[in-house]
Amino acid sequence: MEDVVGIIVAPIIIFMIFVAPIWLILHYRSKKQMSQGLTEDEYTTLQDLANRADKMADRIHTLESILDAEAPQWRNKV
């Protein structure tokens, strides 16, 4: 019985001494970074992607208008 308790207690102690503190430090460090929001570079990249998405949506709308005028049944072919 004591051998079983020793087998269970040893990994728990090792976990509490080595793994748990590192885990907690990394966890709260990532929480802190998330609460700070986007960096200036990330915000700029996000704005650039949003602008590109708007331009792409305009292009798709234009292409669909052209296809509707030239080949009205194009949507049924897909």
Side-chain angles (χ1 to χ4, degrees):
M1 183 67 175
E2 291 179 19
D3 290 337
V4 174
V5 172
I7 291 173
I8 294 173
V9 170
I12 292 174
I13 291 173
I14 292 172
F15 176 82
M16 295 299 287
I17 291 174
F18 296 107
V19 177
I22 294 170
W23 186 5
L24 288 172
I25 290 168
L26 293 175
H27 171 73
Y28 285 109
R29 184 184 295 169
S30 69
K31 285 276 195 183
K32 181 181 175 185
Q33 288 176 353
M34 287 176 51
S35 68
Q36 290 177 348
L38 297 175
T39 64
E40 187 66 33
D41 188 42
E42 292 170 334
Y43 183 75
T44 303
T45 303
L46 182 62
Q47 286 299 112
D48 182 45
L49 289 173
N51 290 338
R52 288 182 185 190
D54 289 339
K55 288 178 184 178
M56 188 178 291
D58 290 341
R59 289 178 180 173
I60 291 170
H61 180 70
T62 302
L63 287 171
E64 287 178 345
S65 298
I66 293 169
L67 282 171
D68 286 338
E70 292 184 7
Q73 299 298 323
W74 73 272
R75 292 180 194 262
N76 296 334
K77 292 181 183 179
V78 176

XYZ file of all heavy atoms in Angstrom:
632
model
N 0.821 -1.199 0.000
C 0.000 0.000 0.000
C 0.864 1.262 0.000
O 0.542 2.231 -0.673
C -0.926 -0.044 1.222
C -1.871 1.101 1.308
S -3.048 1.019 -0.052
C -4.097 2.336 0.372
N 1.951 1.213 0.787
C 2.832 2.383 0.855
C 3.556 2.602 -0.476
O 3.873 3.729 -0.825
C 3.837 2.216 1.995
C 3.196 2.284 3.369
C 4.216 2.093 4.475
O 5.419 2.264 4.201
O 3.803 1.791 5.586
N 3.820 1.522 -1.203
C 4.468 1.654 -2.507
C 3.567 2.380 -3.498
O 4.035 3.201 -4.284
C 4.826 0.271 -3.067
C 5.955 -0.395 -2.278
O 6.720 0.345 -1.641
O 6.056 -1.637 -2.318
N 2.279 2.077 -3.439
C 1.323 2.722 -4.335
C 1.236 4.204 -4.019
O 1.225 5.049 -4.919
C -0.070 2.044 -4.227
C -1.091 2.808 -5.042
C 0.006 0.597 -4.640
N 1.197 4.552 -2.742
C 1.137 5.965 -2.339
C 2.410 6.682 -2.781
O 2.371 7.808 -3.275
C 0.917 6.092 -0.808
C 1.038 7.527 -0.363
C -0.423 5.514 -0.416
N 3.552 6.036 -2.631
C 4.817 6.625 -3.065
C 4.866 6.841 -4.558
O 5.388 7.846 -5.039
N 4.311 5.914 -5.311
C 4.285 6.033 -6.767
C 3.393 7.189 -7.196
O 3.687 7.898 -8.158
C 3.813 4.698 -7.401
C 4.879 3.630 -7.199
C 3.509 4.874 -8.880
C 4.452 2.242 -7.625
N 2.317 7.420 -6.478
C 1.391 8.503 -6.820
C 1.903 9.854 -6.326
O 1.808 10.856 -7.021
C -0.011 8.209 -6.240
C -0.604 6.973 -6.926
C -0.922 9.413 -6.393
C -1.895 6.490 -6.320
N 2.479 9.881 -5.139
C 2.908 11.150 -4.536
C 4.127 11.730 -5.248
O 4.210 12.949 -5.440
C 3.184 10.952 -3.022
C 3.848 12.167 -2.424
C 1.890 10.633 -2.292
N 5.069 10.908 -5.673
C 6.297 11.407 -6.296
C 6.009 12.232 -7.558
O 6.518 13.359 -7.684
C 7.234 10.251 -6.599
N 5.198 11.764 -8.520
C 4.916 12.595 -9.690
C 4.155 13.872 -9.344
O 4.375 14.919 -9.965
C 4.064 11.693 -10.586
C 4.345 10.316 -10.145
C 4.678 10.404 -8.693
N 3.289 13.789 -8.351
C 2.552 14.998 -7.943
C 3.509 16.044 -7.388
O 3.405 17.230 -7.713
C 1.446 14.637 -6.925
C 0.364 13.804 -7.619
C 0.848 15.896 -6.301
C -0.702 13.268 -6.686
N 4.451 15.629 -6.575
C 5.428 16.570 -6.013
C 6.295 17.166 -7.124
O 6.530 18.376 -7.163
C 6.294 15.868 -4.944
C 5.431 15.558 -3.719
C 7.481 16.737 -4.564
C 6.132 14.719 -2.666
N 6.754 16.333 -8.034
C 7.568 16.828 -9.154
C 6.760 17.812 -9.996
O 7.270 18.864 -10.400
C 8.076 15.643 -10.006
C 9.081 14.844 -9.197
C 8.680 16.142 -11.312
C 9.512 13.546 -9.844
N 5.504 17.501 -10.244
C 4.638 18.404 -11.003
C 4.501 19.739 -10.286
O 4.620 20.802 -10.907
C 3.259 17.759 -11.195
C 2.277 18.648 -11.892
C 2.282 18.759 -13.271
C 1.349 19.399 -11.173
C 1.382 19.580 -13.919
C 0.452 20.221 -11.809
C 0.468 20.318 -13.193
N 4.230 19.707 -8.997
C 4.016 20.942 -8.232
C 5.287 21.796 -8.139
O 5.205 23.018 -8.094
C 3.503 20.610 -6.823
C 2.136 19.951 -6.813
S 0.851 20.979 -7.518
C 0.664 22.171 -6.239
N 6.445 21.170 -8.136
C 7.701 21.922 -7.996
C 8.158 22.496 -9.337
O 8.610 23.645 -9.402
C 8.795 21.022 -7.383
C 8.456 20.718 -5.927
C 10.161 21.687 -7.479
C 9.393 19.716 -5.274
N 8.054 21.725 -10.408
C 8.630 22.141 -11.683
C 7.606 22.610 -12.713
O 7.773 23.666 -13.308
C 9.463 20.994 -12.282
C 10.644 20.625 -11.445
C 10.659 19.449 -10.726
C 11.748 21.460 -11.366
C 11.749 19.107 -9.944
C 12.844 21.132 -10.587
C 12.844 19.947 -9.865
N 6.574 21.836 -12.937
C 5.660 22.115 -14.037
C 4.661 23.211 -13.688
O 4.449 24.143 -14.479
C 4.926 20.821 -14.472
C 3.914 21.108 -15.559
C 5.927 19.774 -14.915
N 4.034 23.134 -12.536
C 2.976 24.082 -12.172
C 3.450 25.538 -12.173
O 2.756 26.403 -12.732
C 2.357 23.705 -10.832
N 4.592 25.869 -11.576
C 5.012 27.285 -11.614
C 5.252 27.810 -13.027
O 4.839 28.930 -13.359
C 6.311 27.301 -10.801
C 6.240 26.102 -9.942
C 5.468 25.079 -10.720
N 5.895 27.000 -13.870
C 6.136 27.430 -15.249
C 4.815 27.592 -15.984
O 4.614 28.553 -16.724
C 7.052 26.417 -15.965
C 8.423 26.427 -15.314
C 7.153 26.723 -17.451
C 9.339 25.311 -15.779
N 3.909 26.674 -15.764
C 2.589 26.717 -16.392
C 1.852 27.990 -15.976
O 1.281 28.695 -16.808
C 1.814 25.476 -15.986
C 0.492 25.274 -16.638
C -0.073 26.012 -17.632
C -0.444 24.254 -16.340
N -1.300 25.513 -17.961
C -1.550 24.426 -17.175
C -0.452 23.201 -15.429
C -2.649 23.582 -17.125
C -1.547 22.365 -15.390
C -2.634 22.565 -16.232
N 1.873 28.301 -14.700
C 1.193 29.508 -14.220
C 1.826 30.777 -14.786
O 1.117 31.711 -15.193
C 1.201 29.546 -12.691
C 0.276 28.545 -12.011
C 0.529 28.538 -10.504
C -1.168 28.860 -12.306
N 3.140 30.827 -14.816
C 3.825 32.009 -15.356
C 3.450 32.218 -16.815
O 3.089 33.326 -17.240
C 5.354 31.870 -15.192
C 5.726 31.990 -13.718
C 6.089 32.910 -16.023
C 7.159 31.590 -13.409
N 3.517 31.165 -17.608
C 3.177 31.288 -19.031
C 1.704 31.619 -19.236
O 1.354 32.399 -20.130
C 3.541 29.999 -19.772
C 5.032 29.699 -19.864
C 5.261 28.344 -20.511
C 5.773 30.791 -20.607
N 0.844 31.065 -18.402
C -0.589 31.339 -18.513
C -0.881 32.814 -18.271
O -1.568 33.468 -19.059
C -1.365 30.483 -17.514
C -2.807 30.849 -17.399
N -3.726 30.552 -18.383
C -3.495 31.507 -16.432
C -4.910 31.000 -18.009
N -4.795 31.584 -16.833
N -0.371 33.356 -17.175
C -0.670 34.747 -16.868
C 0.063 35.720 -17.780
O -0.410 36.826 -18.026
C -0.401 35.039 -15.396
C -1.485 34.445 -14.536
C -1.255 33.352 -13.724
C -2.775 34.963 -14.572
C -2.269 32.793 -12.952
C -3.797 34.416 -13.806
C -3.530 33.334 -13.004
O -4.543 32.789 -12.258
N 1.203 35.327 -18.325
C 1.886 36.167 -19.307
C 1.043 36.278 -20.576
O 0.904 37.354 -21.148
C 3.254 35.595 -19.640
C 4.041 36.492 -20.591
C 5.349 35.886 -20.998
N 6.233 35.747 -19.858
C 7.361 35.067 -19.883
N 7.747 34.458 -20.987
N 8.116 34.983 -18.807
N 0.458 35.157 -21.009
C -0.377 35.213 -22.208
C -1.659 35.988 -21.947
O -2.152 36.693 -22.818
C -0.696 33.806 -22.707
O -1.561 33.138 -21.819
N -2.216 35.886 -20.738
C -3.404 36.675 -20.386
C -3.082 38.171 -20.449
O -3.883 38.969 -20.912
C -3.884 36.326 -18.975
C -4.572 35.023 -18.853
C -6.001 35.187 -19.218
C -6.773 33.969 -18.753
N -8.145 34.025 -19.132
N -1.914 38.543 -19.967
C -1.508 39.951 -19.974
C -1.370 40.460 -21.405
O -1.809 41.560 -21.726
C -0.180 40.112 -19.231
C 0.317 41.535 -19.162
C 1.644 41.606 -18.437
C 2.209 43.002 -18.473
N 3.546 43.066 -17.887
N -0.772 39.655 -22.279
C -0.608 40.068 -23.666
C -1.946 40.200 -24.360
O -2.149 41.111 -25.166
C 0.265 39.065 -24.415
C 1.721 39.122 -24.021
C 2.550 38.056 -24.697
O 2.021 37.174 -25.369
N 3.862 38.122 -24.523
N -2.897 39.330 -24.055
C -4.215 39.406 -24.671
C -4.971 40.646 -24.207
O -5.702 41.259 -24.977
C -5.022 38.146 -24.356
C -4.549 36.930 -25.124
S -5.396 35.409 -24.697
C -7.096 35.853 -24.819
N -4.791 41.020 -22.959
C -5.524 42.174 -22.438
C -4.962 43.496 -22.957
O -5.636 44.514 -22.911
C -5.508 42.165 -20.912
O -4.203 42.402 -20.427
N -3.739 43.482 -23.455
C -3.137 44.711 -23.962
C -3.684 45.093 -25.330
O -3.529 46.223 -25.762
C -1.618 44.565 -24.043
C -0.946 44.525 -22.692
C 0.545 44.308 -22.800
O 1.062 43.977 -23.861
N 1.244 44.491 -21.706
N -4.315 44.187 -26.023
C -4.870 44.491 -27.329
C -3.845 44.344 -28.430
O -2.795 43.747 -28.257
N -4.159 44.923 -29.578
C -3.296 44.810 -30.746
C -2.145 45.811 -30.672
O -2.318 46.937 -30.218
C -4.097 45.087 -32.021
C -5.241 44.125 -32.342
C -5.994 44.621 -33.567
C -4.727 42.733 -32.573
N -1.005 45.377 -31.184
C 0.103 46.318 -31.309
C -0.161 47.207 -32.524
O -1.060 46.941 -33.327
C 1.441 45.570 -31.509
O 1.392 44.855 -32.743
C 1.723 44.621 -30.358
N 0.627 48.245 -32.669
C 0.460 49.163 -33.800
C 0.656 48.441 -35.129
O -0.082 48.655 -36.078
C 1.450 50.326 -33.681
C 1.249 51.412 -34.713
C -0.065 52.157 -34.550
O -0.535 52.315 -33.409
O -0.632 52.567 -35.583
N 1.641 47.551 -35.175
C 1.907 46.789 -36.399
C 0.745 45.846 -36.712
O 0.334 45.730 -37.868
C 3.210 46.001 -36.241
C 3.643 45.338 -37.526
O 3.534 45.983 -38.592
O 4.089 44.173 -37.469
N 0.218 45.180 -35.695
C -0.919 44.283 -35.900
C -2.161 45.056 -36.354
O -2.905 44.601 -37.215
C -1.232 43.509 -34.624
C -0.164 42.501 -34.245
C -0.363 41.914 -32.867
O -0.986 42.574 -32.009
O 0.110 40.792 -32.637
N -2.362 46.238 -35.775
C -3.504 47.064 -36.163
C -3.376 47.520 -37.616
O -4.346 47.489 -38.374
C -3.625 48.267 -35.230
C -4.819 49.129 -35.527
C -6.095 48.731 -35.171
C -4.678 50.350 -36.199
C -7.197 49.509 -35.450
C -5.772 51.136 -36.489
C -7.032 50.713 -36.107
O -8.121 51.484 -36.403
N -2.165 47.904 -38.014
C -1.927 48.319 -39.399
C -2.183 47.163 -40.353
O -2.819 47.338 -41.405
C -0.483 48.826 -39.557
O -0.257 49.888 -38.633
C -0.213 49.315 -40.961
N -1.703 45.984 -40.000
C -1.923 44.802 -40.832
C -3.413 44.481 -40.935
O -3.919 44.162 -42.017
C -1.167 43.594 -40.251
O 0.224 43.916 -40.158
C -1.340 42.357 -41.116
N -4.122 44.584 -39.827
C -5.558 44.325 -39.827
C -6.301 45.313 -40.716
O -7.184 44.930 -41.486
C -6.103 44.382 -38.399
C -7.579 44.077 -38.213
C -7.888 42.653 -38.654
C -7.985 44.286 -36.770
N -5.927 46.584 -40.644
C -6.550 47.606 -41.500
C -6.267 47.327 -42.972
O -7.152 47.465 -43.820
C -6.050 48.998 -41.122
C -6.627 49.539 -39.838
C -8.131 49.675 -39.930
O -8.871 48.966 -39.264
N -8.593 50.581 -40.755
N -5.029 46.928 -43.267
C -4.664 46.606 -44.649
C -5.495 45.430 -45.161
O -6.009 45.463 -46.286
C -3.171 46.287 -44.731
C -2.721 46.005 -46.146
O -3.117 46.758 -47.063
O -1.975 45.028 -46.346
N -5.637 44.407 -44.353
C -6.448 43.252 -44.756
C -7.913 43.623 -44.948
O -8.570 43.135 -45.873
C -6.311 42.131 -43.722
C -4.962 41.425 -43.678
C -4.903 40.469 -42.496
C -4.688 40.697 -44.973
N -8.438 44.494 -44.096
C -9.822 44.929 -44.240
C -10.009 45.715 -45.535
O -11.014 45.533 -46.240
C -10.234 45.771 -43.039
N -9.048 46.571 -45.858
C -9.122 47.331 -47.116
C -9.059 46.409 -48.323
O -9.808 46.586 -49.292
C -7.989 48.363 -47.182
C -8.181 49.492 -46.193
O -9.293 49.749 -45.750
N -7.091 50.146 -45.830
N -8.183 45.415 -48.266
C -8.089 44.455 -49.368
C -9.386 43.660 -49.517
O -9.826 43.377 -50.634
C -6.932 43.497 -49.143
C -5.572 44.131 -49.331
C -4.479 43.114 -49.149
N -3.170 43.737 -49.224
C -2.043 43.043 -49.282
N -2.064 41.724 -49.260
N -0.892 43.667 -49.347
N -9.993 43.295 -48.405
C -11.259 42.554 -48.461
C -12.355 43.409 -49.081
O -13.169 42.905 -49.873
C -11.660 42.102 -47.061
N -12.385 44.702 -48.756
C -13.383 45.597 -49.360
C -13.176 45.713 -50.867
O -14.137 45.672 -51.647
C -13.310 46.988 -48.721
C -13.837 46.998 -47.290
O -14.602 46.072 -46.930
O -13.475 47.934 -46.555
N -11.907 45.862 -51.290
C -11.618 45.945 -52.720
C -12.003 44.651 -53.431
O -12.562 44.675 -54.532
C -10.133 46.243 -52.949
C -9.719 47.650 -52.605
C -8.235 47.846 -52.818
C -7.790 49.225 -52.377
N -6.334 49.416 -52.534
N -11.707 43.511 -52.781
C -12.053 42.230 -53.387
C -13.570 42.073 -53.502
O -14.066 41.569 -54.510
C -11.471 41.082 -52.557
C -11.620 39.729 -53.223
S -10.887 38.397 -52.263
C -9.166 38.799 -52.430
N -14.303 42.524 -52.502
C -15.769 42.448 -52.562
C -16.298 43.312 -53.708
O -17.232 42.899 -54.417
C -16.368 42.898 -51.234
N -15.714 44.497 -53.916
C -16.119 45.349 -55.039
C -15.827 44.674 -56.374
O -16.658 44.709 -57.295
C -15.399 46.704 -54.980
C -15.877 47.566 -53.826
O -16.979 47.308 -53.299
O -15.131 48.496 -53.454
N -14.666 44.052 -56.481
C -14.312 43.363 -57.722
C -15.259 42.197 -57.998
O -15.675 41.976 -59.134
C -12.874 42.851 -57.653
C -11.846 43.949 -57.719
C -10.455 43.405 -57.590
N -9.477 44.467 -57.652
C -8.185 44.295 -57.429
N -7.720 43.104 -57.137
N -7.358 45.311 -57.499
N -15.583 41.439 -56.967
C -16.499 40.313 -57.142
C -17.870 40.806 -57.584
O -18.489 40.230 -58.488
C -16.591 39.486 -55.842
C -15.277 38.758 -55.597
C -17.754 38.504 -55.891
C -15.169 38.105 -54.238
N -18.318 41.889 -56.985
C -19.612 42.462 -57.378
C -19.583 42.895 -58.845
O -20.531 42.640 -59.600
C -19.968 43.636 -56.468
C -21.263 44.275 -56.809
N -22.481 43.656 -56.607
C -21.550 45.479 -57.358
C -23.446 44.447 -57.010
N -22.909 45.571 -57.479
N -18.499 43.537 -59.251
C -18.365 43.968 -60.655
C -18.349 42.767 -61.589
O -19.041 42.765 -62.618
C -17.072 44.793 -60.827
O -17.114 45.912 -59.944
C -16.910 45.271 -62.250
N -17.582 41.737 -61.251
C -17.530 40.543 -62.095
C -18.887 39.855 -62.189
O -19.293 39.402 -63.268
C -16.487 39.565 -61.559
C -15.029 39.952 -61.758
C -14.121 39.004 -61.000
C -14.677 39.960 -63.231
N -19.603 39.787 -61.082
C -20.933 39.179 -61.116
C -21.890 39.994 -61.971
O -22.720 39.431 -62.684
C -21.480 39.017 -59.701
C -20.798 37.907 -58.908
C -21.329 37.793 -57.493
O -22.008 38.716 -57.000
O -21.052 36.749 -56.867
N -21.779 41.320 -61.926
C -22.631 42.173 -62.774
C -22.332 41.928 -64.249
O -23.255 41.841 -65.074
C -22.402 43.645 -62.446
O -22.744 43.912 -61.118
N -21.043 41.814 -64.599
C -20.664 41.552 -65.990
C -21.191 40.188 -66.432
O -21.761 40.048 -67.518
C -19.136 41.640 -66.159
C -18.665 43.083 -65.950
C -18.694 41.117 -67.528
C -17.158 43.235 -65.826
N -21.013 39.187 -65.580
C -21.495 37.851 -65.925
C -23.015 37.812 -66.031
O -23.564 37.131 -66.904
C -21.019 36.833 -64.890
C -19.558 36.396 -65.018
C -19.152 35.565 -63.814
C -19.349 35.613 -66.295
N -23.713 38.537 -65.166
C -25.174 38.582 -65.253
C -25.634 39.187 -66.573
O -26.626 38.745 -67.155
C -25.763 39.380 -64.080
C -25.712 38.616 -62.764
O -25.634 37.371 -62.798
O -25.751 39.268 -61.702
N -24.897 40.191 -67.053
C -25.264 40.848 -68.314
C -24.927 39.980 -69.526
O -25.691 39.910 -70.481
C -24.555 42.196 -68.426
N -23.772 39.307 -69.502
C -23.320 38.551 -70.665
C -23.796 37.102 -70.683
O -23.984 36.532 -71.747
C -21.798 38.598 -70.747
C -21.276 39.992 -71.061
C -19.774 40.001 -71.246
O -19.150 38.924 -71.265
O -19.219 41.106 -71.374
N -23.931 36.495 -69.526
C -24.346 35.086 -69.451
C -25.289 34.919 -68.264
O -24.870 34.520 -67.181
C -23.128 34.190 -69.304
N -26.562 35.253 -68.455
C -27.504 35.256 -67.330
C -27.651 33.915 -66.614
O -28.015 33.873 -65.448
C -28.831 35.656 -67.969
C -28.518 36.178 -69.314
C -27.184 35.660 -69.696
N -27.353 32.826 -67.259
C -27.520 31.510 -66.641
C -26.243 30.978 -65.961
O -26.182 29.830 -65.575
C -27.987 30.502 -67.723
C -29.298 30.843 -68.353
C -30.443 30.853 -67.338
O -30.459 30.026 -66.436
N -31.364 31.786 -67.484
N -25.248 31.824 -65.775
C -23.976 31.355 -65.231
C -24.121 30.829 -63.805
O -23.385 29.925 -63.396
C -22.913 32.455 -65.290
C -23.080 33.569 -64.297
C -23.805 34.689 -64.481
C -22.529 33.658 -62.992
N -23.752 35.493 -63.374
C -22.957 34.864 -62.436
C -21.703 32.842 -62.225
C -22.601 35.281 -61.156
C -21.332 33.243 -60.962
C -21.783 34.464 -60.433
N -25.047 31.360 -63.033
C -25.200 30.900 -61.649
C -25.775 29.489 -61.585
O -25.540 28.769 -60.628
C -26.102 31.855 -60.875
C -25.476 33.223 -60.656
C -26.414 34.136 -59.871
N -26.001 35.520 -59.936
C -25.291 36.128 -58.994
N -24.903 35.470 -57.934
N -24.965 37.389 -59.131
N -26.538 29.091 -62.579
C -27.143 27.766 -62.585
C -26.152 26.676 -62.980
O -26.401 25.500 -62.739
C -28.337 27.735 -63.550
C -29.441 28.672 -63.085
O -29.564 28.952 -61.898
N -30.235 29.157 -64.024
N -25.023 27.050 -63.582
C -24.034 26.082 -64.039
C -23.190 25.547 -62.902
O -22.559 24.521 -63.043
C -23.137 26.703 -65.110
C -23.868 26.992 -66.397
C -22.946 27.588 -67.424
C -23.722 27.927 -68.679
N -22.867 28.541 -69.695
N -23.150 26.218 -61.809
C -22.274 25.814 -60.696
C -22.865 24.715 -59.894
O -23.792 24.192 -59.808
C -21.982 27.005 -59.762
C -21.164 26.583 -58.575
C -21.283 28.081 -60.543
